[in-house]
Amino acid sequence: MQVPPFSLSQQLADLRPELDDAILRVLHSGQYIGGGEIQKFETDFSTCVSTAHSVGCNSGTDALILALRGLGIGAGDQVITASFSFFATAEAISAVGATPVFVDVDPVTYLIDLTKIEAAITPNTKALMPVHLFGRPVDMEALMAIAQRHSLQVVEDCAQATGACWNGKPVGSWGDAGCFSFFPTKNLGGAGDGGAVTCDDDGLAQRIRELAVHGMPRRYLHTELGYNSRLDALQAAVLNVKLPHLRTWVDKRAAIASRYIKALADLPGLELPDPAADPAVGHGWNQFVVRVNLSPEAQQTEAALGSNAANNFGLPSSHRRDWLKQSLQEQGVNTIIYYPIPIHRQPAYVDLGLAPGSLPITEQLCSEVLSLPIFPELSVEQQDRVIRVVKRLLSSSTQERMVA
């Protein structure tokens, strides 16, 4: 049995009649830019996120750029965020001329460490960009309190967390703006790229709309340099079919995560994601990310063998994690690494001058994390297969052989 890390096959089969009708309706209408499908999706998505406005755009990356531009963030400004994220988080900050300032993450939640934010604030700091990573929401009450104390704007990176909430309030409705991705692997995914910015401020929503169409408040009048970043009508039609199923899909992801946590508890060499017993945590479970680490005895063995030498990116050894990933693949269980290289160690950000060890928890995570298969249609049989293979590979005897 081959178990993919993610698959749309069953979802597409279940929704095929509705999707076919929606796509053909758009094709036959001849209106591929703007129109009713866009208006319906933006209205319904605003309701889903509990905001006054939702502005569709070309991608999650563009959503971040448009939100930052809309809030007036640019050259000379600093935005505090996490390095343990997809590259677009920082890339968007740099794209508007601002500078990303990285803060280390919490070792349990993998989210930006709220206790370290205030030490990173300078007179040039204009905004905070919390990342709701892998579907887990940042403590937005605590983060908003920091922002208010220092008069900072807040742009939420919700790319992996559609359907998640903090204390019953959806992500994307806490800060000045929320930025979403509809990449096919997300909790709510289209048939290609797509994104949206959510907010409550009428003026901000209007400015973002104008920026998304070449800085154009009305036809052929351009008041500033903008972008060509519109949500495609075909993508909106697909999203309109899928949006009513979002809550069910998130609940199914949560059930799969709960089953993993129960089945893999106390397994040597494996650290499971925090079960988030706090009722305020409305996890979206876009990914189920474990940490693969060694027992103290095995670490000593590796050190004696010299396998802890830093790699080309100055990170701790990923030998253990890489061994498990390869071994799982050989048994038909396919996994993904999110993320093998933190943003601050990427060649594109060498000019920031952040040396190896500057964000130690982030760097350790990048050498240990592994995402197990999770998607709403993952069958019990497929998940059982994953659990059995992981247990067998991480038995004490196997660990001893691996490090010998």
Side-chain angles (χ1 to χ4, degrees):
M1 177 190 293
Q2 289 289 323
V3 184
F6 174 82
S7 174
L8 284 169
S9 298
Q10 188 59 54
Q11 183 183 114
L12 293 176
D14 293 341
L15 299 177
R16 189 175 305 281
E18 292 177 81
L19 288 170
D20 287 350
D21 287 346
I23 291 169
L24 287 173
R25 183 171 64 247
V26 173
L27 288 175
H28 292 160
S29 74
Q31 184 164 23
Y32 309 138
I33 304 296
E37 295 289 349
I38 300 291
Q39 293 168 6
K40 174 176 171 50
F41 176 72
E42 290 184 341
T43 298
D44 291 351
F45 194 65
S46 293
T47 300
C48 174
V49 182
S50 299
T51 56
H53 302 281
S54 170
V55 182
C57 61
N58 184 62
S59 67
T61 304
D62 279 9
L64 293 169
I65 292 171
L66 290 166
L68 291 166
R69 278 285 308 276
L71 291 167
I73 295 169
D77 296 335
Q78 295 177 345
V79 179
I80 295 174
T81 191
S83 175
F84 189 49
S85 179
F86 181 58
F87 189 73
T89 299
E91 184 181 34
I93 297 169
S94 299
V96 302
T99 301
V101 175
F102 298 115
V103 169
D104 214 348
V105 295
D106 181 275
V108 175
T109 65
Y110 311 160
L111 306 176
I112 190 168
D113 190 334
L114 300 178
T115 67
K116 292 182 168 63
I117 288 178
E118 288 182 288
I121 295 174
T122 75
N124 292 326
T125 305
K126 294 298 186 291
L128 306 179
M129 185 182 285
V131 182
H132 304 297
L133 195 68
F134 306 141
R136 177 165 184 147
V138 172
D139 181 341
M140 289 306 296
E141 288 165 311
L143 185 134
M144 293 303 296
I146 296 171
Q148 289 163 11
R149 280 198 299 272
H150 297 274
S151 300
L152 300 175
Q153 296 168 317
V154 175
V155 177
E156 298 177 67
D157 185 339
C158 311
Q160 298 180 4
T162 307
C165 61
W166 178 265
N167 206 15
K169 186 175 180 179
V171 299
S173 67
W174 286 88
D176 295 276
C179 301
F180 293 82
S181 168
F182 305 126
F183 190 78
T185 60
K186 307 304 185 187
N187 288 3
L188 178 65
D193 276 317
V197 182
T198 56
C199 66
D200 285 321
D201 185 88
D202 296 348
L204 176 59
Q206 183 58 34
R207 180 152 193 249
I208 289 172
R209 287 191 186 280
E210 293 174 9
L211 285 168
V213 286
H214 306 285
M216 187 168 59
R218 61 182 173 83
R219 194 170 181 83
Y220 299 132
L221 173 66
H222 305 270
T223 55
E224 60 183 318
L225 298 177
Y227 311 90
N228 181 9
S229 183
R230 294 166 291 206
L231 181 64
D232 188 272
L234 282 169
Q235 295 301 335
V238 170
L239 293 168
N240 281 330
V241 171
K242 290 189 172 187
L243 184 57
H245 300 277
L246 176 62
R247 185 71 261 158
T248 298
W249 290 339
V250 172
D251 289 344
K252 287 182 177 180
R253 287 175 176 275
I256 292 167
S258 178
R259 195 159 182 263
Y260 271 138
I261 289 170
K262 290 177 182 177
L264 300 175
D266 302 320
L267 197 60
L270 198 70
E271 186 174 331
L272 300 176
D274 178 46
D278 185 341
V281 180
H283 208 310
W285 293 110
N286 184 241
Q287 302 294 340
F288 187 87
V289 179
V290 300
R291 292 179 68 176
V292 187
N293 47 44
L294 295 168
S295 65
E297 296 78 11
Q299 287 176 341
Q300 291 173 8
T301 302
E302 274 214 336
L305 294 172
S307 56
N308 264 335
N311 60 27
N312 291 337
F313 298 96
L315 303 176
S317 170
S318 60
H319 173 60
R320 173 67 168 166
R321 187 267 313 282
D322 297 342
W323 165 82
L324 181 59
K325 178 176 174 57
Q326 180 62 34
S327 298
L328 286 168
Q329 185 173 334
E330 291 170 358
Q331 298 297 314
V333 175
N334 297 281
T335 59
I336 300 176
I337 298 171
Y338 299 102
Y339 298 95
I341 307 169
I343 300 174
H344 74 284
R345 297 301 304 152
Q346 294 285 352
Y349 280 115
V350 67
D351 289 346
L352 292 181
L354 295 174
S358 54
L359 299 175
I361 296 172
T362 293
E363 292 169 21
Q364 192 67 45
L365 285 171
C366 286
S367 298
E368 295 179 351
V369 290
L370 188 67
S371 179
L372 300 184
I374 186 168
F375 51 96
E377 297 79 21
L378 184 73
S379 70
V380 172
E381 293 75 18
Q382 288 174 314
Q383 190 176 14
D384 281 343
R385 173 67 176 168
V386 176
I387 292 168
R388 284 196 303 271
V389 175
V390 170
K391 282 185 171 181
R392 183 167 67 249
L393 289 171
L394 291 180
S395 66
S396 297
S397 59
T398 303
Q399 285 196 62
E400 291 169 3
R401 289 197 301 271
M402 190 276 294
V403 299

